[in-house]
Amino acid sequence: MIIRETCVAIWDALHAAVMAQPHKEQWKEIADVFQKTCQFPNCAGAIDGKHIRIKKPVRSGSQYYNYKKYFSFVLFAMCDANYSFRYIDVGSYGSRSDSAVFAHSEFGKMLQDKALDLPEHTTLPGTTSPAMSFVFVGEEAFALGENLMRPYSSRGLSLARRVFNYRLTRARRVVECVFGILANKWRFLHTPIHLKLETAISAVKAACVLHNFVRARDGYNFDDSLTHSLQSHRPSVVRGHRQGAAVREQFIAYFMSPHGALPWQLEAI
């Protein structure tokens, strides 16, 4: 009872202060940091989902039993390039795919309904046209859209598409780093959580807002931050959006242009 009440109190006290939904100017600031550190322009965040190991919830059947053959619920997150959580959704069934968790999350619904207060379309650095939308970057498990970029499948890619995948991965790996920092700071995430389901969810939510609080106050130790026990979801096949495909092609053209190319990108792929 003490653990549950404490975790709920931490979430209630810190959520609004350290994980409030960004407004238009803050989205621009997030995108500026992604451009500066990851060289991916118009990027408003990186998204991903991870399995949190738990004991089997009472009377849950196979809903929380995932493809790795253990019980879990999902921590879905959107992170900025300062390695902080900007949105989390905690508690979805471990049997669900990334795309399903995203579609049913409040964040996914707000993105679909264009209710996130994203900035107006703007041109990419060094160009005068076309005006581009702000996007979130994720793995192949997510559906391509005007505001959501995913990599191309890895078979038979052209040079330009391989460059795009490399550039997107540079930005997307931020969320992997955040999960790594989280798990290495709050060690209970390395093993199955032996608490009631509701208490385990509250504990993960508390850890996420404490991560942001500590990150803002003390910074973080990046050493070995990518080594963690949180498992990714099983990739699922989802169809792309025609408008999203057009945006992705515009990014490709920019990354291969003199304005957007990185000196080392061809060697990196």
Side-chain angles (χ1 to χ4, degrees):
M1 184 180 297
I2 292 173
I3 293 173
R4 182 178 69 249
E5 291 180 355
T6 301
C7 290
V8 170
I10 290 171
W11 171 262
D12 291 342
L14 292 180
H15 176 241
V18 302
M19 206 185 293
Q21 180 181 325
H23 54 69
K24 190 168 298 185
E25 291 304 316
Q26 289 175 324
W27 287 122
K28 291 180 181 179
E29 293 172 2
I30 292 171
D32 288 343
V33 179
F34 268 104
Q35 169 62 12
K36 181 179 179 180
T37 61
C38 305
Q39 292 78 51
F40 200 104
N42 285 28
C43 181
I47 63 174
D48 199 6
K50 293 295 181 182
H51 289 289
I52 305 297
R53 290 175 178 262
I54 55 173
K55 66 178 184 179
K56 181 182 178 181
V58 177
R59 294 186 294 276
S60 64
S62 61
Q63 292 174 320
Y64 291 94
Y65 194 67
N66 64 42
Y67 76 105
K68 290 283 189 178
K69 301 188 183 304
Y70 61 82
F71 291 93
S72 68
F73 59 77
V74 177
L75 164 59
F76 169 79
M78 187 275 288
C79 302
D80 63 28
N82 285 321
Y83 303 96
S84 294
F85 293 104
R86 290 298 184 138
Y87 172 85
I88 60 172
D89 182 276
V90 187
S92 292
Y93 299 138
S95 58
R96 281 185 171 179
S97 66
D98 271 345
S99 57
V101 172
F102 173 74
H104 288 86
S105 70
E106 181 183 0
F107 178 81
K109 293 175 182 177
M110 292 181 71
L111 182 63
Q112 179 68 28
D113 297 337
K114 299 188 180 301
L116 286 176
D117 194 29
L118 292 174
E120 292 80 10
H121 294 194
T122 184
T123 56
L124 300 182
T127 67
T128 57
S129 65
M132 298 278 290
S133 59
F134 282 76
V135 300
F136 299 91
V137 294
E139 294 182 320
E140 287 185 59
F142 297 99
L144 184 68
E146 180 184 4
N147 300 110
L148 183 54
M149 292 291 100
R150 70 175 188 188
Y152 289 93
S153 60
S154 57
R155 297 180 180 178
L157 296 181
S158 65
L159 177 64
R161 291 187 174 188
R162 287 163 59 200
V163 167
F164 173 83
N165 281 3
Y166 166 70
R167 297 289 292 271
L168 183 141
T169 299
R170 282 174 55 82
R172 190 198 59 77
R173 69 184 295 273
V174 166
V175 69
E176 290 284 344
C177 292
V178 176
F179 286 133
I181 297 166
L182 178 76
N184 286 339
K185 172 77 72 177
W186 313 108
R187 307 293 291 186
F188 77 98
L189 294 171
H190 280 290
T191 58
I193 303 175
H194 291 280
L195 296 170
K196 290 182 178 179
L197 179 62
E198 295 78 8
T199 306
I201 291 172
S202 294
V204 172
K205 291 168 66 176
C208 290
V209 291
L210 284 172
H211 166 91
N212 280 13
F213 178 81
V214 173
R215 174 74 184 93
R217 188 191 65 180
D218 299 337
Y220 63 93
N221 182 358
F222 188 75
D223 292 344
D224 202 31
S225 62
L226 287 177
T227 303
H228 59 80
S229 59
L230 306 184
Q231 296 291 326
S232 297
H233 273 172
R234 175 178 51 190
S236 57
V237 179
V238 287
R239 299 189 63 179
H241 187 279
R242 181 175 299 178
Q243 194 169 6
V247 173
R248 189 163 61 174
E249 289 294 330
Q250 290 172 339
F251 273 113
I252 288 178
Y254 177 74
F255 292 150
M256 298 301 291
S257 73
H259 296 296
L262 297 177
W264 64 86
Q265 65 186 24
L266 296 183
E267 287 78 12
I269 62 174

